[in-house]
Amino acid sequence: RRKPPSALQHRMEWRCNGKGYVAYRNFLLRRIDGGAASSCASTPSNSGRWAPSPAYAAFSEADSWSSSKDLRRNSGPLLRNLSISSKQSDPERHVRFAEPAYSFVGMHCIFDDCKASVTILKFGRASSDLLTYGASDGSLTVCQVSDPPTVLQKLIGHSKDITDFDFSSNNQYIASCSMDKTMRVWEISKGTCIRVVYGVSSQLCICFHPVNNNLLLVGNANREINAINFSTGRIVSKLTFDDAVTALDVDHTGQLIFAGDAQGCIYTVSVNSHTGSLSRTHKNKSNKSKSPVTTIQYRTFSLVARCPVLLSCVQNGNLFFFSIATDSKGYLTLICSLKLASPVQSIRASFCPLLSLEKGEFIVTGSEDANVYFYDLTRPKNSCVNKLQGHGSPVIGVAWSHGENLLASSDSDGTVIVWKRA
């Protein structure tokens, strides 16, 4: 009958382990309900450590509501002090039960060795094990997320923020670009830089051509997209735009490039897969606020649009969903848009292809309030269908593994969390 440790001490332990308030509240409810349940001891943060078992892991909002309901009968007046505040934001108020296809069992593993903001992360092509993330200190970290989660390589060479990177088709190479005006090619197995291409301005986005992997497409702050020969590092063609090119993606045929600029415009560009020659075809001005585009993502097919689609995420919090007319050289038609809270960070978003095959059009995005949100673009009012809590600072990047069994998210404190889908 000794006096138990203070609640503040318990909560500090959960904060140190990178978990959120919902997991802490559920932990306390289990202690109240079980009586003799032992607390989860705080351990020093280890890079790439396994997260605790799902019983004590960070839960999605939907899971937390269901667990609270089960305990409400036994908790009585105690629950009044532990209940969720009535002053929730609109996204939180709408979230009650997660969509069945996207119920999460908690954290799979955590990487917290980076001391700078992790601005972008991606899984390898057709891979659920290879994960790489780039940070604002110029470092690239290559990890494996299973058996056990470990850091494989630390790629050091860039002197400023990593703005983008991409895997080659066989996951043997990584091409990265940075604010230090360089583009670098890395051999992952050796952890060495095999080529450096110098530019005259910040290099902002990059991707391998899906058909001709010897072709790299790079957008920069000098209002250009450069087609670069991977083997020689030479520019084979370039195309000039109205402002800095901040994001780009290529369709699965390799014939069309979709690029977003610093004024929020989206361009459709034709590319010759053999010669690399570029030519502009269309310009879309759906974003009236003139805010930089942070994400451009192409998807082969959508049940909602019945054709290829494009997702655009803008720095002011606007999300745009376009249909693509392939017979009109990639003409974009706006289907719907979603306005989120205006973030300070350049937050990225991603399609959820698996869930979108069942119903609606779902996307996942980070947020300034340190949560990962799932939205249905076809619901104009109650668009938020689920959220994940666990980060302690604004969530910037999100990325799905192949098969969508794992979701990785990164924040401005340098923490990368890999979530496991049920």
Side-chain angles (χ1 to χ4, degrees):
R1 295 183 178 272
R2 286 185 302 171
K3 184 177 179 181
S6 68
L8 178 62
Q9 180 181 343
H10 279 302
R11 186 165 183 179
M12 288 302 295
E13 289 178 357
W14 280 83
R15 279 183 178 174
C16 293
N17 280 330
K19 298 176 181 65
Y21 172 71
V22 171
Y24 171 72
R25 186 195 64 219
N26 291 343
F27 168 66
L28 285 186
L29 289 174
R30 285 184 174 85
R31 286 171 58 88
I32 294 168
D33 188 51
S38 60
S39 65
C40 178
S42 175
T43 58
S45 59
N46 298 316
S47 174
R49 65 186 185 276
W50 287 109
S53 62
Y56 295 109
F59 285 77
S60 69
E61 182 72 2
D63 295 334
S64 68
W65 274 86
S66 59
S67 61
S68 299
K69 233 202 261 184
D70 295 337
L71 294 164
R72 194 165 288 156
R73 301 184 187 90
N74 301 326
S75 298
L78 287 171
L79 191 62
R80 283 199 287 270
N81 297 326
L82 297 170
S83 62
I84 296 178
S85 170
S86 61
K87 297 181 180 179
Q88 289 173 309
S89 62
D90 286 339
E92 294 178 9
R93 193 178 298 120
H94 295 318
V95 177
R96 288 300 176 267
F97 299 100
E99 296 291 334
Y102 280 108
S103 296
F104 285 80
V105 296
M107 299 178 187
H108 175 67
C109 61
I110 302 169
F111 297 95
D112 56 1
D113 62 315
C114 187
K115 305 305 177 186
S117 174
V118 176
T119 54
I120 183 168
L121 74 168
K122 292 180 182 179
F123 280 91
R125 295 185 185 272
S127 173
S128 293
D129 188 35
L130 186 64
L131 174 68
T132 300
Y133 52 90
S136 58
D137 60 0
S139 65
L140 273 167
T141 306
V142 183
C143 314
Q144 71 173 20
V145 298
S146 62
D147 200 24
T150 55
V151 174
L152 301 177
Q153 299 287 354
K154 195 90 168 178
L155 309 178
I156 305 296
H158 288 291
S159 58
K160 292 184 180 179
D161 303 37
I162 300 291
T163 52
D164 199 5
F165 67 88
D166 196 22
F167 287 90
S168 61
S169 59
N170 58 2
N171 291 332
Q172 186 176 354
Y173 301 100
I174 288 178
S176 62
C177 59
S178 169
M179 297 291 285
D180 64 5
K181 304 180 183 180
T182 65
M183 185 276 292
R184 293 174 180 263
V185 178
W186 310 83
E187 189 172 355
I188 297 176
S189 59
K190 297 179 180 178
T192 57
C193 177
I194 61 174
R195 184 162 292 106
V196 183
V197 179
Y198 295 91
V200 296
S201 62
S202 299
Q203 309 296 302
L204 303 179
C205 49
I206 190 169
C207 68
F208 277 94
H209 192 278
V211 176
N212 180 3
N213 238 218
N214 198 39
L215 198 62
L216 275 170
L217 303 165
V218 186
N220 59 40
N222 200 31
R223 306 183 301 170
E224 297 172 341
I225 288 182
N226 294 325
I228 298 175
N229 187 302
F230 174 80
S231 301
T232 63
R234 293 184 178 181
I235 298 175
V236 296
S237 65
K238 66 172 61 176
L239 190 62
T240 305
F241 297 85
D242 301 337
D243 213 316
V245 180
T246 56
L248 60 83
D249 199 6
V250 189
D251 76 335
H252 67 289
T253 66
Q255 297 177 358
L256 296 174
I257 300 173
F258 301 96
D261 69 7
Q263 294 295 318
C265 297
I266 301 174
Y267 303 88
T268 305
V269 179
S270 295
V271 56
N272 187 305
S273 302
H274 301 288
T275 64
S277 61
L278 307 171
S279 60
R280 272 175 56 174
T281 56
H282 300 290
K283 178 180 179 180
N284 185 284
K285 296 182 179 179
S286 296
N287 179 27
K288 305 296 183 183
S289 61
K290 296 185 178 181
S291 184
V293 177
T294 61
T295 302
I296 289 285
Q297 191 175 22
Y298 169 86
R299 210 170 122 226
T300 310
F301 182 75
S302 165
L303 285 175
V304 173
R306 298 288 174 179
C307 63
V309 290
L310 191 76
L311 174 67
S312 170
C313 179
V314 187
Q315 190 169 340
N316 63 2
N318 281 318
L319 293 167
F320 297 98
F321 179 57
F322 299 94
S323 64
I324 303 172
T326 52
D327 54 349
S328 300
K329 295 185 177 180
Y331 182 80
L332 300 178
T333 303
L334 181 64
I335 299 177
C336 61
S337 62
L338 183 64
K339 180 69 174 85
L340 309 178
S342 299
V344 178
Q345 309 272 354
S346 295
I347 290 173
R348 302 174 189 266
S350 173
F351 277 119
C352 299
L354 183 66
L355 187 55
S356 299
L357 289 176
E358 298 183 2
K359 53 182 178 178
E361 192 61 55
F362 294 86
I363 60 120
V364 59
T365 179
S367 68
E368 289 280 340
D369 61 3
N371 296 321
V372 180
Y373 285 100
F374 293 83
Y375 294 101
D376 184 359
L377 297 178
T378 62
R379 300 184 191 180
K381 293 183 179 179
N382 301 337
S383 59
C384 184
V385 297
N386 195 12
K387 74 174 180 180
L388 301 176
Q389 298 177 310
H391 287 279
S393 58
V395 179
I396 301 175
V398 289
W400 284 107
S401 66
H402 181 69
E404 297 181 44
N405 58 318
L406 298 174
L407 173 68
S409 58
S410 64
D411 63 32
S412 57
D413 282 345
T415 302
V416 174
I417 298 178
V418 180
W419 308 85
K420 188 173 184 181
R421 192 166 61 84

